[in-house]
Amino acid sequence: MPAQRGRSFYVPRHLRQPDGTSFFPASTATFPHSDLPSFVSPHPPLNIPPRSRPSRARRDGTTPGPRRLPYGQIASPEHDLNNQEPLDEQGAADAEGSKNGSVLINLEAYEDAPVEASGADIPAPASSFDEIDLLESMNKNISRCKYEKPTPIQRHAIPIALAGRDLMACAQTGSGKTAAFCLPIICGILRNGVSNGKKPASRIACPTALVLSPTRELSCQIHDEAKKFAYQTGIKIGVAYGGAPFGLQVRNLERGVDVLVATPGRLVDMVERERVSLRMIKYLAIDEADRMLDMGFEPQIRQIVEQMDMPPAGARQTLLFSATFPNDIQMLASDFLSNYIFLTVGRVGSSTELIAQKVEFVEEKDKRRRLKDLLHARQEDGHHGKRELTLVFVETKRGADVLESWLFQNGFSAIAIHGDKVQVERERALRSFKRGATPIMVATDVASRGLDIPHVAHVVNFDLPKCIDDYVHRIGRTGRAGKSGLATAFFNSKNVALARALTDLMKETNQEVPCWLSECAEQSFDGNNSNGMSRNHRGNKFGGHDFRRGPKFGNKRNTFQSNYDYSTSIDDYNPSYVIDSNGNPANCDYDIATAQEEGAFGGQSFGNGLGYGSVEVSGWD
DNA sequence: AAAAAAT
């Protein structure tokens, strides 16, 4: 029985201390409610000294949060990726039912979400939508969306954005961050007069606002959401992403666009072909900003923001949102910002505790058989017929296809989704899964971020991800809106590097950690490092703080909650160890055979002591 | 080694 830390809530990864404690001890100044703390005082703009950009190894780009959280709002409407129809009132109210009591109960916990804000002249948060000076037409849309009360991130971020300030904000997906940047942007455009980006005698679309996101599906989702807020305001929302007909998208934009939601590649294409110009951009929002600035994406983002015709920082308003903001990414991101406010809204993720996490020791060759058993077990437990959904994550695209056909041959109705499928197939697979036509979906990480899939009762990590953030994100597909869920992971010697982080996370979420896993974790090094490379540039963790306050920058004025010792975390962390041919740390003498003797195998290591039968899972309501 | 994002 592993020692529990006695914390009854989940601390988001980016708010954790290296020792696992929260960044927000009781003595720390936080403002869980909407009062602006008295110790927040204006100070001159921070002067960020030039720095050398650290060379970065492959970073485990993390994106926010797994699911939509209640916050007393009705859960987000299901997004039909193909639905490009204008939103009608029914659409606006097309909220997925989550009117159960637990939502309201959980709401109380979210009110305590700790908040950290730093920067000059921080606008006071608002406690209600009425308090925020959004326009009448938008208030109606907010009501139509059944948003009764702003979420913590909305309460803080919307006043900041409405005040015209640049913002770097940390908040989980589903905590309402889409609205947190869409509402003030749309409101700002309305106040200044809608132009629909029309230049007389020009076919070039000139949007006033640009929203960037890392995946096509996420762009669709934001597009749909933004349309709801802009309903009957005259503001036009457009979308541009790859895998869909170029000409069709362009023609839609030619009809006028104020807010363009896009993935980077297609946008660059459109700008280069002179179908879109960024010269009128007044608002730039980057969703999943840390991922967007991660290797692979950064050059494109830099091209869009710095090398095309977009007005420079200061001449536009820039809003960056993400779940995590490692310090090195903050540095990159600050290039895009001017006198910005850094905002972190942590959350008390009690719903995460509603996910029963189970880790089983399963060798590669046994995985299929074990998965089959799991799927059968659930059917025998009488849950089938409710068409609850099971999401199975694998490592590779090919692996997804292979497992899909194997499942099919074994009588399961499964479908695969991954990036080698054409967009139409991706969307078809997703729809089929959501509908329950194929209640099992085998996915790569393409499905782990940004997708809102109701009724997922079970997430199986057939292959565990390399980084713990991905794990958190994947399992968060279940246990939504106050409902419980189950997450099962297949662990074997290939995953030893994840043992420590996995153990920590499970403890934090009050899960019982199997003995063999604890033992493995104790004997291995920090598992959040999958390739044995030093990640000291990232600091010891998380980046849930304004990097401007780090020791290198020497500016600790006007900050609250600064009792964290950066000196031990940012530059001094330099682990080095050797990985042997099996991928294990060479000096980790963890012995699989011992684990087997200890009964570590499948079925013996239920995360919370609950069997499948005793886990309350959701089905169709 | 892998996934995502342009054609």
Side-chain angles (χ1 to χ4, degrees):
Chain A
M1 175 73 178
Q4 294 294 314
R5 303 195 185 190
R7 254 197 330 283
S8 59
F9 56 87
Y10 168 72
V11 178
R13 186 191 158 90
H14 62 283
L15 300 179
R16 282 176 232 149
Q17 293 266 31
D19 66 359
T21 59
S22 167
F23 272 123
F24 298 103
S27 61
T28 293
T30 59
F31 47 113
H33 300 288
S34 57
D35 328 289
L36 189 69
S38 57
F39 39 80
V40 176
S41 58
H43 62 79
L46 296 173
N47 198 10
I48 299 164
R51 71 278 168 189
S52 60
R53 187 151 297 136
S55 69
R56 290 177 290 136
R58 177 75 181 106
R59 187 177 303 99
D60 305 306
T62 54
T63 37
R67 85 201 74 79
R68 312 231 147 213
L69 292 174
Y71 285 115
Q73 298 177 356
I74 300 301
S76 70
E78 195 168 331
H79 298 293
D80 183 341
L81 296 175
N82 273 350
N83 181 11
Q84 303 275 327
E85 296 302 310
L87 186 84
D88 58 13
E89 302 223 6
Q90 177 53 41
D94 174 28
E96 194 220 331
S98 63
K99 294 175 188 167
N100 57 45
S102 57
V103 170
L104 296 174
I105 291 165
N106 288 342
L107 176 62
E108 295 307 310
Y110 297 121
E111 295 306 309
D112 290 331
V115 175
E116 177 197 339
S118 51
D121 302 319
I122 303 168
S127 59
S128 69
F129 282 120
D130 292 338
E131 230 176 85
I132 305 171
D133 186 22
L134 295 166
L135 302 166
E136 180 54 27
S137 53
M138 295 194 64
N139 283 332
K140 272 163 90 174
N141 290 335
I142 289 167
S143 304
R144 287 186 181 112
C145 291
K146 305 247 189 300
Y147 287 7
E148 289 165 7
K149 203 177 164 194
T151 66
I153 181 67
Q154 291 164 2
R155 286 205 299 270
H156 289 80
I158 294 176
I160 291 170
L162 281 176
R165 297 295 302 279
D166 280 6
L167 175 65
M168 186 187 288
C170 282
Q172 299 267 342
T173 295
S175 57
K177 73 188 159 74
T178 304
F181 60 76
C182 286
L183 289 171
I185 286 174
I186 293 169
C187 185
I189 296 173
L190 274 174
R191 282 179 179 165
N192 289 319
V194 182
S195 75
N196 287 158
K198 288 230 166 151
K199 284 273 142 195
S202 169
R203 289 173 50 147
I204 303 178
C206 299
T208 309
L210 177 65
V211 178
L212 293 171
S213 95
T215 70
R216 299 165 181 176
E217 284 80 5
L218 187 51
S219 283
C220 286
Q221 211 165 282
I222 295 167
H223 175 237
D224 288 344
E225 192 116 332
K227 277 198 297 186
K228 292 169 199 159
F229 301 139
Y231 178 67
Q232 285 187 349
T233 60
I235 287 187
K236 296 197 177 178
I237 318 289
V239 69
Y241 59 88
F246 186 95
L248 187 65
Q249 285 180 356
V250 164
R251 281 193 294 281
N252 280 332
L253 298 183
E254 278 172 2
R255 292 194 206 116
V257 57
D258 299 290
V259 180
L260 177 58
V261 185
T263 50
R266 178 57 62 90
L267 178 69
V268 168
D269 201 3
M270 285 187 176
V271 173
E272 284 176 347
R273 294 205 224 171
E274 301 196 329
R275 313 312 290 264
V276 169
S277 164
L278 304 177
R279 67 175 180 266
M280 302 293 284
I281 293 293
K282 295 282 181 294
Y283 307 91
L284 169 66
I286 305 183
D287 202 4
E288 323 295 356
D290 65 336
R291 177 153 179 76
M292 299 293 270
L293 290 169
D294 204 336
M295 280 181 48
F297 265 133
E298 190 210 334
Q300 275 184 306
I301 302 301
R302 212 168 264 288
Q303 182 186 5
I304 291 166
V305 177
E306 294 178 336
Q307 288 152 34
M308 297 187 131
D309 53 351
M310 190 186 300
R316 57 160 202 265
Q317 186 179 359
T318 308
L319 308 169
L320 306 185
F321 281 75
S322 183
T324 53
F325 253 119
N327 283 302
D328 53 344
I329 299 289
Q330 283 189 42
M331 285 191 267
L332 295 178
S334 66
D335 286 351
F336 302 154
L337 298 161
S338 168
N339 186 26
Y340 65 96
I341 290 165
F342 179 88
L343 175 67
T344 301
V345 179
R347 71 179 171 87
V348 179
S350 57
S351 56
T352 303
E353 287 190 7
L354 297 173
I355 303 169
Q357 296 174 57
K358 191 160 78 72
V359 181
E360 299 184 353
F361 194 98
V362 185
E363 299 283 11
E364 291 298 320
K365 62 177 169 51
D366 298 324
K367 279 182 173 180
R368 287 176 176 184
R369 193 172 59 209
R370 184 62 194 142
L371 177 62
K372 191 175 172 180
D373 290 346
L374 289 178
L375 294 171
H376 279 312
R378 291 191 66 75
Q379 289 180 354
E380 283 156 17
D381 278 344
H383 291 295
H384 75 302
K386 286 181 158 184
R387 300 172 85 195
E388 59 187 21
L389 309 179
T390 299
L391 187 49
V392 182
F393 282 105
V394 296
E395 178 110 43
T396 65
K397 297 182 273 200
R398 169 150 177 75
D401 281 334
V402 170
L403 187 57
E404 175 203 47
S405 60
W406 184 86
L407 283 168
F408 193 75
Q409 285 163 16
N410 282 267
F412 294 101
S413 185
I415 195 153
I417 187 170
H418 57 70
D420 271 355
K421 291 196 167 193
V422 296
Q423 189 61 16
V424 172
E425 287 177 317
R426 271 161 69 158
E427 292 176 14
R428 187 187 299 131
L430 188 54
R431 267 201 312 280
S432 167
F433 182 54
K434 278 184 172 178
R435 276 209 323 272
T438 49
I440 301 164
M441 185 162 80
V442 185
T444 61
D445 273 323
V446 68
S448 68
R449 302 165 194 278
L451 300 183
D452 183 40
I453 309 169
H455 307 300
V456 174
H458 192 186
V459 171
V460 179
N461 275 292
F462 190 88
D463 301 317
L464 271 164
K466 295 293 186 268
C467 106
I468 195 66
D469 300 295
D470 290 340
Y471 173 82
V472 170
H473 199 87
R474 288 173 173 189
I475 70 169
R477 299 282 140 195
T478 185
R480 301 168 64 253
K483 292 174 183 166
S484 58
L486 176 65
T488 306
F490 294 166
F491 186 103
N492 61 37
S493 58
K494 287 173 70 180
N495 311 116
V496 169
L498 192 69
R500 170 61 62 86
L502 185 56
T503 303
D504 289 347
L505 178 83
M506 290 176 75
K507 285 177 182 169
E508 284 157 13
T509 50
N510 286 329
Q511 303 292 313
E512 191 174 317
V513 182
C515 301
W516 59 270
L517 183 59
S518 304
E519 210 162 297
C520 178
E522 278 167 27
Q523 295 175 18
S524 74
F525 286 88
D526 182 10
N528 195 31
N529 183 340
S530 58
N531 55 11
M533 301 286 286
S534 167
R535 288 199 344 187
N536 59 341
H537 63 272
R538 191 177 179 174
N540 207 1
K541 316 266 163 167
F542 313 145
H545 292 279
D546 190 342
F547 88 100
R548 295 174 295 187
R549 290 158 46 199
K552 287 275 173 68
F553 305 98
N555 189 340
K556 298 211 177 200
R557 289 174 301 153
N558 298 311
T559 59
F560 41 100
Q561 190 272 99
S562 62
N563 53 352
Y564 176 57
D565 183 7
Y566 289 89
S567 63
T568 60
S569 71
I570 289 188
D571 286 313
D572 300 338
Y573 179 64
N574 186 18
S576 59
Y577 57 84
V578 180
I579 298 279
D580 68 19
S581 57
N582 296 319
N584 298 320
N587 49 352
C588 171
D589 53 8
Y590 170 71
D591 182 4
I592 300 299
T594 306
Q596 291 174 345
E597 283 164 23
E598 289 167 2
F601 283 85
Q604 301 303 308
S605 52
F606 281 32
N608 61 357
L610 299 176
Y612 282 126
S614 50
V615 175
E616 186 71 23
V617 288
S618 62
W620 298 133
D621 287 338

